[in-house]
Amino acid sequence: MLKMVTFFQGFPGQQSVPGTLNFAGSPQKPRSTSEAESETSMSEASSEDLMPSPEAPDGEEESAKKKEKKSKGLANMFSVFTKGKKKKKDQPRLSDLEVQPKSRPELDGPLPTVEELKEALEHGRLEVAWQVLALERQLEAAAAAGGTSNEELVWRQSKVEALYVLLCDQVLGVLRRPLEAAPERLSQALAVVSQEELEDRRASGGPLAAALEATRPRRWLQRWRGVVAEVAAERLDAQPATAPEGRSEAESRFLHMGRTMKEDLEVVVERLKPLFPDEFNVVRTYAESYHYHFASHLCALAQFELCERDTYLLLLWVQNLYPNDILNSPKLAQELQGVRLGSLLPPKQIRLLEAMFLSNEVTSVKQLMARALELESQRWTQDVAPQSLDGHCHSELAIDILQIISQGQTKAENITSDVGMQIKQLLLVELAALLRSYQRAFDEFLEKSKLLRNYRVNIMANINNCLFFRTSVEQRWQIPHDSLNRLLEPLKDLKAHGFDTLLQSLFLDLKPLFKKFTQTRWAKPVETLEEIITTVSSSLPEFSELQDCFREELMETVHLHLVKEYIIRLCKRRLVLKTAEQQQQLARHILANADAIQGFCTENGSTATWLHRALPMIAEIIRLQDSSAIKIEVATYATWYPDFSKGHLNAILAIKGNLPSSEVRSIRNILDINTGVQEPPRPLFSLIKVT
């Protein structure tokens, strides 16, 4: 899997401190519409609503009494918010943080004035939240009791709502940057939100006086979620550093958003979760907000015409890095287990992008492979000598081709294993086409470049290429043997054509030597064969630059040629032996020659054991005089070499001049019997034409 950390390493301008959620560094955006509406509701509550009423009491004596009562009231309120601050083992709950106002606050004296509460809130004193709540309840009680004019109730409600606007700003300000607040202050803000949620539930169950406007539910917990969404947008929308050379703007944006989300959520888990009550679902809330903004950005990006690289990166993030390296990272996996965030893009959009990626990648691979083959063939025609690696002629073509394909395969697998399987079939088709083009280019080189100085070493370099192609394909793709052979068929032909070209001059030199067998009527078979073996032996050192396996295959080709040419000489019908003694003497010569050929070829690497019986069994047919024994030997021979035909048998039997025509026909008919043997995997007699 392609890990996200490999993208992050060395990326400049991303210097967020690990374990720190940099809310403070994010520019504030205007509050959401819901917040603005709440601030302007209830008679357009504002700071003007907190100005003293003309009907409000006045005078120094009463002011002094109020200050005294205020001090006592604030002390009581502070004790309510700060009591129970002992360390708890369990996660706090809303019920643990409830602010329980007394049902009869007047027992502790009058509440502070609106102006005093306004001043306290402006100084960020959240402990006065109880008095604001008490004012609200006092107003509800007055409205329910009657005796207060509607104008007075509306005026008093506007003051209370203005205080709530200030309180809400203070509370959400703390919760916007929770890591900047002192633990006690953060706890107070959380307690206020919790109490407001309880008050919302309480208010929903009772009637409201006709003169008062409905101000609940205030939904402060929902407003807090809106603040988290704003913070997520600010963090993810922050401009990343200038993209390093080689990285697109989209790639830099992916890196910034992915790293920011991962680091911020880890901070939420490590530092905020222990402070927030369970009912806040703080990890879920932050995760959903970041996910939503990340997804919105990618959905918008996906609507544009993307370049090939950005299409791949988009899929890589959506299908791999985001779910595996962020959501399933060690610090977040368990915390997000129950949070169903889903994919960053809808399935239909993902399928479309995957189709685009596959098309782009296959086209790119095809073009790169064609270019690599073109450059390689240019080196051949320009008579550039191949490299030498471990004493063998070496070409980089196979390495280049397989690396191009491997990179395309790896990219697809980095997205998903399913995309990897899809591109595998497409790449195999393109590889098959490339190998056919390779064979055609090589055949053209063989035909047109015979006079070049490095002609033969370049042939050997290309033959050696076949080994790397085969082993790499076998290791990279587990495909059926038959399919593999069909795929690599052009390489088999390329190798065969290369061997034919390399051995062409040797075989031409051997032709007049083999003619000596018939010219001398097998009078000097030992000397003739020694001359043939000496000629072959002198040419073998040139082929040391082939890979060992191909040197063995080439020696098998030589072995086959020697056996085939020897049989051709026997089938020329120029030798007729009338006596059994002559036939037995020829059989002994053939056996001696067969042993010499087999020994020489095996010593030099040939593993063509299937050729070992070809000459000795012909010698046995020539040696035998009994018709029935000859029939058995012929039938056995046909099982080993199914392409042994009546024509070949006639040519061999022609040597036996003492064999009547009727017996020849009887022996020949033995080949009409179906032995059930399938066509041979390697031809021998089908290469030999008889007249």
Side-chain angles (χ1 to χ4, degrees):
M1 183 191 307
L2 187 59
K3 296 296 181 185
M4 183 168 64
V5 67
T6 61
F7 282 89
F8 291 161
Q9 290 175 347
F11 188 67
Q14 300 289 328
Q15 301 177 353
S16 55
V17 180
T20 302
L21 191 58
N22 298 322
F23 294 154
S26 302
Q28 292 193 36
K29 290 186 177 182
R31 286 193 297 272
S32 63
T33 305
S34 61
E35 291 183 48
E37 290 176 351
S38 67
E39 294 176 8
T40 57
S41 65
M42 295 312 304
S43 303
E44 299 297 325
S46 66
S47 59
E48 294 179 359
D49 293 323
L50 300 177
M51 296 298 292
S53 168
E55 301 175 8
D58 198 5
E60 293 182 3
E61 182 178 351
E62 187 153 352
S63 174
K65 291 180 182 179
K66 286 182 180 179
K67 289 180 180 179
E68 182 180 352
K69 294 172 182 176
K70 166 193 171 185
S71 177
K72 185 176 181 181
L74 291 179
N76 291 337
M77 182 59 197
F78 184 76
S79 68
V80 171
F81 271 93
T82 58
K83 68 181 180 179
K85 289 291 182 179
K86 295 180 180 180
K87 186 176 181 180
K88 299 178 182 179
K89 294 183 180 179
D90 297 330
Q91 186 75 2
R93 297 173 299 175
L94 283 175
S95 57
D96 299 328
L97 298 174
E98 291 178 14
V99 181
Q100 297 291 350
K102 301 184 180 185
S103 59
R104 296 178 61 83
E106 63 274 4
L107 294 178
D108 293 331
L111 293 170
T113 65
V114 171
E115 289 76 14
E116 289 168 336
L117 291 174
K118 171 179 177 292
E119 181 180 0
L121 289 173
E122 287 176 342
H123 286 82
R125 294 166 57 189
L126 300 182
E127 62 268 22
V128 302
W130 179 82
Q131 283 94 336
V132 177
L133 176 59
L135 280 180
E136 182 183 16
R137 290 187 172 181
Q138 190 180 71
L139 174 63
E140 293 173 356
T148 305
S149 66
N150 289 347
E151 291 78 5
E152 175 68 14
L153 291 174
V154 171
W155 179 80
R156 288 172 61 182
Q157 188 179 31
S158 68
K159 304 300 179 182
V160 171
E161 291 308 307
L163 290 174
Y164 267 117
V165 170
L166 290 176
L167 178 61
C168 185
D169 283 345
Q170 289 293 333
V171 169
L172 295 183
V174 172
L175 297 183
R176 176 180 286 273
R177 298 174 178 80
L179 297 180
E180 293 183 2
E184 181 180 353
R185 183 167 173 80
L186 177 59
S187 180
Q188 289 175 345
L190 293 171
V192 172
V193 174
S194 300
Q195 185 61 45
E196 283 299 305
E197 288 296 303
L198 291 174
E199 286 299 308
D200 283 350
R201 291 195 288 273
R202 181 189 66 81
S204 64
L208 190 67
L212 299 179
E213 293 189 27
T215 58
R216 290 192 182 276
R218 298 186 190 279
R219 297 187 176 89
W220 282 21
L221 192 58
Q222 183 175 331
R223 293 190 185 186
W224 166 71
R225 295 191 184 100
V227 169
V228 172
E230 291 177 1
V231 169
E234 292 169 3
R235 295 282 295 152
L236 296 180
D237 286 343
Q239 188 66 27
T242 303
E245 186 176 352
R247 282 185 178 154
S248 66
E249 181 180 353
E251 183 176 358
S252 299
R253 173 60 62 182
F254 295 152
L255 289 172
H256 164 73
M257 291 194 297
R259 166 181 282 182
T260 300
M261 180 174 180
K262 183 172 184 285
E263 293 180 351
D264 286 6
L265 290 185
E266 288 176 353
V267 172
V268 170
V269 169
E270 294 173 355
R271 300 183 60 185
L272 293 190
K273 184 184 177 183
L275 302 177
F276 278 64
D278 285 340
E279 289 82 350
F280 273 70
N281 286 319
V282 64
V283 176
R284 175 189 292 271
T285 300
Y286 273 93
E288 289 176 345
S289 295
Y290 275 74
H291 172 84
Y292 175 79
H293 196 75
F294 203 157
S296 298
H297 185 88
L298 294 193
C299 284
L301 182 64
Q303 303 306 313
F304 292 94
E305 184 175 350
L306 301 174
C307 67
E308 293 180 16
R309 180 174 177 80
D310 288 347
T311 300
Y312 167 65
L313 290 173
L314 183 57
L315 281 172
L316 183 65
W317 275 94
V318 171
Q319 298 286 73
N320 182 351
L321 297 181
Y322 182 75
N324 295 320
D325 289 63
I326 297 181
L327 302 186
N328 202 35
S329 65
K331 294 182 180 180
L332 299 179
Q334 186 173 358
E335 299 294 336
L336 299 177
Q337 197 169 22
V339 183
R340 298 182 179 179
L341 297 179
S343 175
L344 290 172
L345 290 175
K348 183 178 180 180
Q349 186 70 49
I350 292 175
R351 299 288 87 80
L352 178 61
L353 289 172
E354 286 177 349
M356 292 173 57
F357 164 76
L358 291 172
S359 175
N360 291 340
E361 194 61 28
V362 169
T363 300
S364 176
V365 166
K366 183 178 180 180
Q367 293 173 346
L368 290 173
M369 291 194 301
R371 179 58 178 163
L373 177 58
E374 180 184 4
L375 292 175
E376 180 68 15
S377 59
Q378 285 178 1
R379 283 190 283 270
W380 308 335
T381 56
Q382 292 171 3
D383 203 21
V384 177
Q387 303 176 39
S388 178
L389 183 64
D390 298 329
H392 302 130
C393 295
H394 175 72
S395 167
E396 294 288 325
L397 177 63
I399 296 175
D400 292 342
I401 295 299
L402 271 300
Q403 186 175 14
I404 291 169
I405 291 180
S406 179
Q407 288 173 348
Q409 179 80 34
T410 301
K411 287 173 68 176
E413 291 172 347
N414 285 338
I415 297 172
T416 64
S417 58
D418 181 61
V419 176
M421 289 299 297
Q422 292 182 56
I423 204 171
K424 171 185 173 180
Q425 303 304 321
L426 299 174
L427 292 181
L428 286 175
V429 171
E430 294 303 325
L431 176 59
L434 183 280
L435 293 180
R436 290 192 294 270
S437 297
Y438 180 26
Q439 180 197 343
R440 289 193 295 270
F442 183 69
D443 286 346
E444 184 178 354
F445 166 72
L446 293 180
E447 181 67 27
K448 297 182 178 180
S449 304
K450 295 178 180 180
L451 300 180
L452 295 179
R453 182 166 54 91
N454 294 304
Y455 178 68
R456 295 176 69 81
V457 288
N458 271 318
I459 292 175
M460 287 188 278
N462 282 281
I463 293 174
N464 288 339
N465 253 339
C466 298
L467 176 63
F468 189 83
F469 268 120
R470 186 175 191 93
T471 55
S472 297
V473 171
E474 288 176 338
Q475 293 170 5
R476 180 72 189 181
W477 294 292
Q478 302 299 321
I479 59 178
H481 185 72
D482 291 344
S483 299
L484 179 65
N485 287 337
R486 284 195 298 272
L487 173 67
L488 300 180
E489 187 68 26
L491 295 181
K492 182 180 178 181
D493 293 340
L494 182 150
K495 179 182 62 178
H497 295 170
F499 283 166
D500 290 345
T501 303
L502 291 175
L503 295 172
Q504 186 176 23
S505 59
L506 170 63
F507 291 169
L508 287 175
D509 293 340
L510 294 177
K511 196 172 187 65
L513 297 178
F514 273 104
K515 286 183 177 181
K516 287 184 178 181
F517 283 115
T518 51
Q519 290 171 351
T520 62
R521 300 176 59 83
W522 259 264
K524 298 180 179 180
V526 175
E527 293 82 351
T528 302
L529 186 62
E530 285 180 353
E531 192 174 354
I532 290 172
I533 289 177
T534 300
T535 303
V536 174
S537 181
S538 64
S539 67
L540 293 183
E542 177 191 9
F543 307 124
S544 63
E545 292 185 277
L546 286 170
Q547 292 286 349
D548 293 347
C549 61
F550 294 132
R551 208 161 51 241
E552 292 176 0
E553 285 190 49
L554 182 131
M555 199 61 219
E556 288 183 23
T557 303
V558 172
H559 192 171
L560 172 62
H561 182 78
L562 296 181
V563 172
K564 181 194 72 172
E565 289 297 318
Y566 198 99
I567 294 174
I568 288 175
R569 293 299 114 189
L570 290 172
C571 293
K572 286 296 184 179
R573 300 176 182 265
R574 295 180 182 177
L575 180 65
V576 179
L577 304 176
K578 301 270 186 192
T579 68
E581 182 181 352
Q582 291 175 325
Q583 295 170 18
Q584 292 169 359
Q585 183 180 12
L586 176 61
R588 288 193 294 270
H589 288 321
I590 294 173
L591 282 174
N593 288 161
D595 288 342
I597 292 173
Q598 179 181 328
F600 170 75
C601 293
T602 301
E603 181 182 347
N604 284 278
S606 172
T607 59
T609 57
W610 66 281
L611 289 171
H612 290 178
R613 293 175 177 82
L615 293 178
M617 293 188 75
I618 289 179
E620 185 66 7
I621 293 172
I622 294 174
R623 184 188 71 81
L624 292 172
Q625 300 300 309
D626 181 68
S627 177
S628 297
I630 295 174
K631 289 179 182 180
I632 294 173
E633 193 67 21
V634 169
T636 304
Y637 197 67
T639 62
W640 283 104
Y641 304 99
D643 57 348
F644 183 58
S645 68
K646 289 183 179 181
H648 299 106
L649 179 59
N650 280 337
I652 298 299
L653 294 179
I655 297 175
K656 301 172 70 67
N658 60 348
L659 194 65
S661 299
S662 59
E663 292 187 11
V664 170
R665 287 193 297 272
S666 178
I667 295 171
R668 187 175 57 195
N669 290 337
I670 201 73
L671 294 180
D672 293 331
I673 300 174
N674 186 2
T675 60
V677 179
Q678 302 298 320
E679 286 298 316
R682 305 177 186 89
L684 174 59
F685 285 93
S686 57
L687 302 176
I688 301 173
K689 295 181 180 180
V690 290
T691 57

